[in-house]
Amino acid sequence: MKDRIRSSGPVETWFLIFISILIFIFFAILIVSPALSEIRSTSTLALFVSGALMLVLFVRNSAKLLKASSDLTKERDHMASIFNVLTDGIVEYDSNNRIILVNPKAEEIFGVKNEKLRGLDLSKEENSRLKTVYEIVTFDSSKGRQFIFEMNGEKIFLEISTASVSYTGEKKFVKILRDQTRFMELQRIKSEFISVAAHQLRTPLSAIKWALKILLDGESGDLEPSQKGFVEKAYISNDRMIELVSDLLDVSRIEEGRFGYEFKEADFKEVLGGVIRSSEIRAKERTIKLELKEIKGILTKFTFDPQRIQIVLSNLVDNAIKYTPPGGLVSIGYRQNGAFLEVSVSDSGIGIPDNHRRRVFSKFFRADNAVKFQTEGSGLGLFIAKNIVKRHGGSMWFSSELGKGSTFYFNIPLKKEFIPADERPLESLEAI
Amino acid sequence: MNDPIEFRPNENEFLKSKILIIEDDKFLRDLLSQKLSREGFKVTAAVDGEEGFKSAVEDAPDLILLDLVLPGIDGFSILERIKKEAKLSSVPVLILSNLGQKEDVDRALALGAVDFMIKANFTPGEISERIKSILKKKYL
């Protein structure tokens, strides 16, 4: 817009007008001066010419200015009309957290009009709506973008991002508010559906399990060895289905933020020991060496959810055993890294193809080579594991080389102050 | 409580205990009844909460196996009623359900259930073992 104003050049024209005024005054003085009567007629002519020039320039420039200002108005209206139809809420504020501008969507989210908000020092406001606006303005979106608040008894889910803008030499900030309420509602309905479906599935699965078990135990007469073999396979398949249903239930609860954690002081070493003991049989079956690299003198008693961390460890160790060819090695280690306990599970397995790295923690995802190597697997284990670790305030990552092996790492804080205060529904991107 | 058996030196005596199963699925109810009867328990069964509660008041069982998702009144409410009924409040109630999220388990235990088992995760044999260990604690 600035460029456009400059090209119509009113500043330069004003300069020309200024010069012609000077010429005009000069000749006017010449005319009134008695000493210079012989050049009076020339001066009069010059006076008229410069006066006319002045007038023309003035009129032209005014017209230009008028046009520029109307262009500017047009431009502003143009921008404003786009700004007004944005489906994301926009709030602009300065470094003192005073509101400069709010678009209609943001007005709708806040339930407060722009005019009422402009220039307000929100930190001193008692009104609950204005308090919400203040919380949103001061929201630190670098730590997570979800902001939940209640309005008229309804829960509103916002995804907030922050940007800084600078003009007229001053730094201003913009909060972009995406209303995710509908998405979260759909998410909730989907989770509820999974939850109901899973519970409904469990009843017939229990019936199959119990009946097969009675057959296997010979409680309704002995089975032929070949018959027993079939029943055993059916029993194992059924158990796998039960596990899958359990995983689905866990996933839906994690997505809803209702998994339910119990943080208490426990010994990590014991939890890990339990996981290794129960994995030894499977490792032996596949002739895989299971090794624990222990470093003495590390604090292993701290606050975490032992039951959930056990799920994480079992998942990683199970995967390592599952995707390592016979004769391979699975090595588990842990160490203290700053305020965190860092755990690693490495294998000499098939590895993860480069093009699949990004999706390893996505639910239902299984890499091509993993599917070929082991037909079983739901693709839910790592999604669950990663989210459990995240809930602890930690993170999970991996390194891998195709055909050589993978190492999965995770860390969890040793101090309970670092555990996030509450469990939240997953944000849109996390839920994929 | 009116115990049908007195404490005797024979430690397997508790096997004659009366078990009440409250379970709406007929097949599961039958499988479990048969298994527990074979183990020597005296088993009565009820299809829903109302019937189960009535039977409990009349029969004074030694242990109640209670499902949570039931037609009519749900298992949580029945559990509450059992624990409020003077005659039944000390009878151990073992929840046997296909619910089993943490909040369900916490709620049942807070209402006074002695334990919580997810049907799909256990076999009748394992359920029977759990019943025995609960009764043993009760009688020893």
Side-chain angles (χ1 to χ4, degrees):
Chain A
M1 271 195 292
K2 270 182 191 164
D3 292 341
R4 188 179 269 198
I5 295 166
R6 198 166 288 150
S7 71
S8 42
V11 180
E12 290 87 335
T13 324
W14 285 123
F15 182 71
L16 282 175
I17 292 173
F18 178 68
I19 298 288
S20 40
I21 290 172
L22 285 184
I23 298 169
F24 185 80
I25 293 170
F26 175 73
F27 284 111
I29 292 170
L30 280 185
I31 289 167
V32 291
S33 157
L36 296 163
S37 53
E38 65 273 22
I39 52 165
R40 190 157 295 157
S41 56
T42 347
S43 297
T44 313
L45 187 66
L47 189 73
F48 274 115
V49 171
S50 60
L53 181 67
M54 205 164 74
L55 200 70
V56 168
L57 281 174
F58 185 80
V59 169
R60 238 193 78 195
N61 205 23
S62 300
K64 261 190 192 166
L65 255 187
L66 265 175
K67 187 172 178 305
S69 112
S70 107
D71 280 355
L72 214 62
T73 315
K74 243 192 224 161
E75 186 80 38
R76 194 200 59 207
D77 290 350
H78 178 196
M79 288 303 167
S81 59
I82 290 173
F83 185 69
N84 288 345
V85 294
L86 284 180
T87 49
D88 282 355
I90 308 251
V91 192
E92 190 195 8
Y93 56 98
D94 64 15
S95 47
N96 298 319
N97 294 330
R98 280 175 198 271
I99 305 272
I100 300 163
L101 198 61
V102 168
N103 77 337
K105 180 63 194 180
E107 286 179 343
E108 186 193 316
I109 291 169
F110 299 149
V112 184
K113 284 272 169 203
N114 182 18
E115 298 82 60
K116 280 201 173 165
L117 289 168
R118 215 177 287 162
L120 220 54
D121 185 359
L122 291 161
S123 60
K124 293 183 186 106
E125 285 298 331
E126 287 300 311
N127 178 309
S128 71
R129 276 191 184 171
L130 295 177
K131 260 190 189 161
T132 306
V133 180
Y134 180 67
E135 278 168 28
I136 289 171
V137 163
T138 52
F139 181 81
D140 182 0
S141 51
S142 66
K143 285 182 189 155
R145 313 215 305 188
Q146 196 177 61
F147 181 84
I148 308 167
F149 69 101
E150 219 163 276
M151 194 162 72
N152 304 330
E154 211 186 315
K155 251 193 185 167
I156 311 281
F157 292 82
L158 292 184
E159 194 179 295
I160 302 183
S161 27
T162 312
S164 66
V165 286
S166 77
Y167 54 88
T168 60
E170 219 187 310
K171 203 168 175 191
K172 307 270 167 55
F173 302 91
V174 171
K175 280 264 177 345
I176 300 149
L177 320 172
R178 179 157 294 176
D179 190 347
Q180 295 282 22
T181 312
R182 258 185 69 80
F183 172 81
M184 296 307 282
E185 175 64 9
L186 285 173
Q187 185 78 1
R188 196 189 57 75
I189 292 168
K190 189 206 69 187
S191 289
E192 209 174 84
F193 169 76
I194 293 177
S195 174
V196 169
H199 281 131
Q200 295 302 321
L201 282 171
R202 265 183 175 173
T203 301
L205 288 171
S206 318
I208 295 168
K209 183 185 174 88
W210 292 7
L212 292 177
K213 187 67 184 164
I214 282 166
L215 283 177
L216 277 176
D217 289 351
E219 285 181 32
S220 61
D222 286 335
L223 296 176
E224 297 281 322
S226 66
Q227 291 172 326
K228 202 171 175 181
F230 281 121
V231 177
E232 248 161 22
K233 285 209 176 83
Y235 185 80
I236 291 168
S237 296
N238 188 60
D239 262 1
R240 204 180 300 144
M241 183 107 100
I242 290 169
E243 232 169 84
L244 175 62
V245 165
S246 257
D247 283 352
L248 278 173
L249 274 170
D250 287 351
V251 165
S252 81
R253 285 305 168 114
I254 286 172
E255 286 176 338
E256 283 176 275
R258 287 169 58 202
F259 200 29
Y261 288 82
E262 203 172 316
F263 294 101
K264 55 185 178 199
E265 195 175 286
D267 193 346
F268 177 80
K269 221 164 122 180
E270 269 172 34
V271 177
L272 180 60
V275 170
I276 290 176
R277 271 195 300 283
S278 62
S279 304
E280 260 161 3
I281 306 165
R282 225 158 326 136
K284 216 170 251 170
E285 275 172 7
R286 296 185 46 80
T287 56
I288 285 163
K289 200 176 158 225
L290 206 58
E291 150 192 288
L292 174 65
K293 277 190 279 177
E294 219 171 344
I295 299 167
K296 298 263 182 309
I298 291 178
L299 173 89
T300 58
K301 267 189 195 144
F302 58 99
T303 301
F304 60 100
D305 182 333
Q307 232 180 318
R308 306 298 199 202
I309 289 299
Q310 191 225 311
I311 296 178
V312 175
L313 289 166
S314 307
N315 256 317
L316 295 181
V317 176
D318 272 2
N319 278 349
I321 294 172
K322 207 159 134 186
Y323 298 114
T324 298
L329 173 74
V330 169
S331 166
I332 304 148
Y334 59 89
R335 64 188 184 112
Q336 189 179 338
N337 188 359
F340 289 83
L341 182 83
E342 191 178 294
V343 186
S344 64
V345 178
S346 45
D347 61 50
S348 58
I350 56 173
I352 296 159
D354 279 348
N355 58 336
H356 287 162
R357 282 168 184 255
R358 222 168 37 86
R359 298 183 55 202
V360 163
F361 295 109
S362 307
K363 63 185 173 208
F364 298 114
F365 178 76
R366 297 185 68 215
D368 294 343
N369 61 339
V371 178
K372 272 183 209 142
F373 191 74
Q374 282 282 343
T375 42
E376 304 161 23
S378 62
L380 296 174
L382 285 176
F383 177 83
I384 294 171
K386 189 182 181 162
N387 279 291
I388 291 172
V389 167
K390 226 171 147 191
R391 173 66 187 95
H392 278 76
S395 48
M396 186 178 270
W397 67 99
F398 67 92
S399 64
S400 182
E401 202 177 328
L402 201 60
K404 292 237 168 104
S406 311
T407 304
F408 277 82
Y409 304 88
F410 72 88
N411 62 14
I412 44 176
L414 290 162
K415 283 193 179 145
K416 63 175 173 213
E417 293 78 52
F418 292 139
I419 300 171
D422 49 9
E423 193 184 354
R424 294 185 149 231
L426 293 195
E427 292 174 19
S428 48
L429 281 173
E430 297 170 319
I432 298 168
Chain B
M1 206 187 69
N2 203 2
D3 263 339
I5 36 167
E6 304 292 327
F7 175 71
R8 271 175 239 155
N10 182 355
E11 64 159 16
N12 285 326
E13 200 53 48
F14 67 86
L15 280 178
K16 285 182 190 151
S17 302
K18 269 196 275 181
I19 311 282
L20 169 63
I21 303 172
I22 306 176
E23 163 67 62
D24 61 328
D25 189 278
K26 186 180 182 309
F27 188 51
L28 290 180
R29 198 170 58 234
D30 290 349
L31 285 175
L32 204 56
S33 302
Q34 284 162 22
K35 176 74 186 173
L36 293 178
S37 301
R38 272 198 299 276
E39 298 277 337
F41 292 110
K42 278 180 257 168
V43 183
T44 41
V47 188
D48 60 40
E50 205 62 69
E51 191 193 320
F53 186 74
K54 228 175 92 191
S55 157
V57 173
E58 284 166 9
D59 259 10
D62 297 296
L63 185 140
I64 298 169
L65 269 182
L66 177 64
D67 190 6
L68 289 175
V69 182
L70 290 166
I73 321 159
D74 73 0
F76 289 113
S77 313
I78 294 298
L79 176 59
E80 238 177 328
R81 271 167 70 179
I82 289 170
K83 289 296 160 191
K84 272 187 195 148
E85 175 74 41
K87 211 178 145 191
L88 296 173
S89 63
S90 65
V91 177
V93 179
L94 172 56
I95 301 293
L96 187 60
S97 172
N98 271 328
L99 297 179
Q101 296 303 318
K102 199 178 170 306
E103 58 194 54
D104 304 319
V105 178
D106 288 348
R107 190 174 161 205
L109 295 181
L111 287 172
V114 61
D115 207 347
F116 196 115
M117 296 179 92
I118 296 172
K119 282 184 235 174
N121 292 356
F122 297 94
T123 61
E126 287 164 334
I127 295 164
S128 163
E129 286 309 310
R130 188 72 60 92
I131 291 173
K132 285 179 200 167
S133 83
I134 293 167
L135 289 173
K136 247 184 206 166
K137 265 186 218 152
K138 196 182 162 196
Y139 289 115
L140 283 181

